[in-house]
């Protein structure tokens, strides 16, 4: 699923107008009708205050207000700018002036909106500078006084393709966005303002999607169907790879167990775990499907022979010990296939920067935001952090999974992918260890690194969604992720 920029969304509108063909004002009417239908169903019998800017977003608001008034709902319109309106804005203003209601007012003083649902149609997807002056005051007032707020396409004040940190932004309860989620909606820093996002299909021409490239993508079910490779009838365990998991230390063997189970449940043919002596009995008891090799007493130390393995996952629970520098260096130099690097292995990388250049090409690293900062430095905002991830993925020729609500995959070719599955219940210790296991299992089965990333994060999140639906987000723990992984596979399996 391609995620288009604000400029590309404008081009998509123009393409639809030219190739459907449809008049611009009729496309606006189509979009407004869809929004009206949602609002009338969601807020039956409410009173409305529609705040309109001078552009096409304001034109949408005027059309919605007309439809609400025609339905007999108490609706007031507030024009927030004295600037000349766009062509479609002016057309809709003339249309609404031809009926007796609603009342059209200019915002000279702040109206009483405490009993009204506010519809924010001030600025849309094309905003590229912070809002200041009188309109800024209006936005601040709406945020304080509104009963509930619905933003049309994007909350006013938010940039679609740049960080909005420090901007004055409408704080919406609902955002009705046209055709697809905007790039900005995938970032944690904007979640406070968007509320619940509803994608409104306004029938933009699909030929534009097929003919237009994008820098960013959303990982959806259609993407996964193209990647997922079901098992062949006459196959054996050797067809699905021999994975190695280097994990655990005294007091942190749970991480090793979670990673091992994630790997086994993701479909790896065989798994060998490299563990310390203190963890041997734990692994043999809790993951009987895995073989074990012991190296070190309370933590893994020494030289590992990685020959014979198709993939190596390293890091969950291994602790932070000086000898791990040698362990990582030896592993990176001796194993020439992609690895999955997580947790304490990432801490080792952050402490010994010279190891970066030794990471096998197309390996996958899986930092959460703080680990990412330790690896590559702080950034001013979420957008900058994602751009830095893309830069480093290209420089190091690796894949970076920046974990979060919409985990972001930075590919070495400059493309970025946002996961669309998962929920807040997965914000619990050990979730990342299960993901490391799943990714390792995917690489063992000879998926490419990109395919392993896409399929791995999607299934990981989908297992979490299924678990949350059955047992709640609050009760969800990391072990539920591998327990529900089977149902996630059933969900994506083609008939």
């Amino acid at each position: 699923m391609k995620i288009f920029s604000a400029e590309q969304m404008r081009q998509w509108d123009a393409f639809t107008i030219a190739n459907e063909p449809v008049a611009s004002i009729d496309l606006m009417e189509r979009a407004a009708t869809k929004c009206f239908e949602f609002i009338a169903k969601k807020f039956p019998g409410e009173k409305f205050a529609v705040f309109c800017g001078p552009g096409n977003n304001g034109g949408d608001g005027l059309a919605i207000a007309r439809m609400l008034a025609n339905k007999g709902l108490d609706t007031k319109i507030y024009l927030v700018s004295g600037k000349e309106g766009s062509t479609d804005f002016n057309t809709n203003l003339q249309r609404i002036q031809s009926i007796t209601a609603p009342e059209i007012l200019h915002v000279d003083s702040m109206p009483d909106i405490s009993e009204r649902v506010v519809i924010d149609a001030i600025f849309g997807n094309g905003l590229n500078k912070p809002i200041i002056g009188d309109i800024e005051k209006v936005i601040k007032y709406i945020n304080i006084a509104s009963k509930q707020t619905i933003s049309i396409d994007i909350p006013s004040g938010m940039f679609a393709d740049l960080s909005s940190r420090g901007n004055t932004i409408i704080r919406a309860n609902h955002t009705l966005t046209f055709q697809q989620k905007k790039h900005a909606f995938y970032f944690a820093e904007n979640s406070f303002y968007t509320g619940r996002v509803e994608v409104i299909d306004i029938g933009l021409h699909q030929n534009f999607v097929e003919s237009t490239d994008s820098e960013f993508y959303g990982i959806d079910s259609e993407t996964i169907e193209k990647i997922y490779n079901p098992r062949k009838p006459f196959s054996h365990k050797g067809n699905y790879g021999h994975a190695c998991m280097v994990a655990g230390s005294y007091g942190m063997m749970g991480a090793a167990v979670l990673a091992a189970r994630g790997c086994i449940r993701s479909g790896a043919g065989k798994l060998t775990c490299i563990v310390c002596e203190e963890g041997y009995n734990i692994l043999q008891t809790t993951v009987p499907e895995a073989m074990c090799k012991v190296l070190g007493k309370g933590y893994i130390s020494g030289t590992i022979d990685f020959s014979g393995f198709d993939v190596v996952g390293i890091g969950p629970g291994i602790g932070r010990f000086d000898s791990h520098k040698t362990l990582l260096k030896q592993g990176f130099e001796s194993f020439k296939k992609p690895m999955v690097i997580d947790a304490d292995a990432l801490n080792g990388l952050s402490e010994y920067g010279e190891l970066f250049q030794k990471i096998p090409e197309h390996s996958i690293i899986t930092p959460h935001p703080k680990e990412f900062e330790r690896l590559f430095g702080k950034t001013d905002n979420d957008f900058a952090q994602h751009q830095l991830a893309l830069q480093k993925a290209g420089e190091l020729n690796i894949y970076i999974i920046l974990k979060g609500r919409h985990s972001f995959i930075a590919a070495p070719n400059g493309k970025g992918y946002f996961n669309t599955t998962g929920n807040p219940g997965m914000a619990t210790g050990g979730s990342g260890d299960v993901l490391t296991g799943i990714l390792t299992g995917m690489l063992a089965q000879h998926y490419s690194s990109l395919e392993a990333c896409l399929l791995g994060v999607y299934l990981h999140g989908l297992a979490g969604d299924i678990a949350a639906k059955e047992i709640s987000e609050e009760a969800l723990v990391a072990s539920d992720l591998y327990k529900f992984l089977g149902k996630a596979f059933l969900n994506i399996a083609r008939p």
Side-chain angles (χ1 to χ4, degrees), residues 33 94 184 231 304 314 397:
T33 300
Q94 293 168 5
R231 298 212 165 197
I304 304 174
I314 185 168
N397 199 16

Side-chain angles (χ1 to χ4, degrees), residues 330-394:
Q330 178 259 326
F332 293 165
E333 289 177 344
S334 65
F335 193 75
K336 300 304 181 183
K337 302 174 187 177
M339 302 175 74
V340 181
I341 305 164
D342 184 35
D344 287 321
L346 296 179
N347 290 326
L349 275 175
S350 66
E351 292 169 4
Y352 309 112
E354 67 272 19
L355 295 178
F356 277 119
Q357 300 302 324
K358 297 182 180 295
I359 299 173
E361 65 178 16
H362 288 183
S363 288
I364 302 168
I365 69 171
T366 60
H368 56 60
K370 284 298 180 183
E371 288 172 333
F372 184 89
E373 281 186 8
R374 289 196 290 270
L375 289 166
F376 302 118
K378 290 188 176 184
T379 52
D380 292 333
N381 55 68
D382 293 346
F383 279 77
Q385 189 173 61
H386 284 61
Q387 286 300 320
L388 182 57
L390 288 168
Q391 176 190 328
K392 293 301 181 181

Side-chain angles (χ1 to χ4, degrees), residues 158-421:
M158 183 179 292
F159 301 148
D161 305 311
L162 300 169
S163 175
S164 305
R165 185 162 287 180
N167 287 9
T168 299
I169 305 170
I170 284 284
R171 192 164 65 247
N173 301 98
H174 297 269
T175 297
L176 310 184
T177 197
F178 298 139
Q179 208 63 43
Q180 63 168 221
K181 281 188 174 183
K182 305 304 179 276
H183 185 196
F185 297 171
Y186 291 93
F187 293 92
E189 68 183 45
N190 290 329
S191 62
F192 179 71
Y193 302 101
T194 57
R196 185 178 180 87
V197 177
E198 305 285 346
V199 177
I200 304 295
D201 186 349
I202 61 172
L204 296 183
H205 207 299
Q206 286 304 300
N207 285 359
F208 179 85
V209 180
E210 296 166 9
S211 62
T212 306
D213 197 14
S214 178
E215 183 181 358
F216 298 103
Y217 296 79
I219 309 168
D220 57 7
S221 57
E222 185 178 341
T223 306
I224 296 305
E225 284 179 7
K226 294 176 182 176
I227 294 171
Y228 173 58
N229 187 19
R231 298 212 165 197
K232 304 296 188 294
F234 291 91
S235 57
H236 54 83
K237 64 185 178 183
N239 296 127
Y240 302 108
H242 189 176
C244 174
M245 183 64 63
V246 183
S249 59
Y250 181 79
M252 290 192 287
M253 288 308 300
V257 172
L258 291 168
R261 286 201 174 276
C263 184
I264 290 289
R265 288 287 188 184
S266 68
K270 293 189 293 182
L271 172 64
T272 295
C273 291
I274 308 295
V275 298
C276 61
E277 185 178 336
E278 296 281 2
Y280 176 77
N281 288 335
I282 294 172
L283 248 298
Q284 290 280 261
T285 303
T286 57
V287 193
E289 300 89 348
M291 297 171 282
C292 285
K293 289 186 177 180
V294 172
L295 205 64
K297 184 171 177 55
Y299 59 91
I300 298 166
S301 60
T303 301
I304 304 174
D305 180 8
F306 287 132
S307 61
F309 295 119
D310 295 293
V311 61
V312 172
I314 185 168
I318 62 173
R320 302 176 77 165
F321 300 96
D322 291 341
S323 61
H324 286 351
K325 178 182 179 181
T326 302
L327 178 71
L328 291 172
K329 181 174 182 294
Q330 178 259 326
F332 293 165
E333 289 177 344
S334 65
F335 193 75
K336 300 304 181 183
K337 302 174 187 177
M339 302 175 74
V340 181
I341 305 164
D342 184 35
D344 287 321
L346 296 179
N347 290 326
L349 275 175
S350 66
E351 292 169 4
Y352 309 112
E354 67 272 19
L355 295 178
F356 277 119
Q357 300 302 324
K358 297 182 180 295
I359 299 173
E361 65 178 16
H362 288 183
S363 288
I364 302 168
I365 69 171
T366 60
H368 56 60
K370 284 298 180 183
E371 288 172 333
F372 184 89
E373 281 186 8
R374 289 196 290 270
L375 289 166
F376 302 118
K378 290 188 176 184
T379 52
D380 292 333
N381 55 68
D382 293 346
F383 279 77
Q385 189 173 61
H386 284 61
Q387 286 300 320
L388 182 57
L390 288 168
Q391 176 190 328
K392 293 301 181 181
E395 289 176 2
L396 299 171
N397 199 16
I398 61 174
Y399 290 83
I400 300 174
I401 299 178
L402 183 54
K403 294 182 288 195
R405 172 62 184 89
H406 293 291
S407 290
F408 178 70
I409 299 165
N413 66 354
K415 301 290 186 182
Y417 303 82
F418 291 92
N419 189 33
T420 59
T421 58

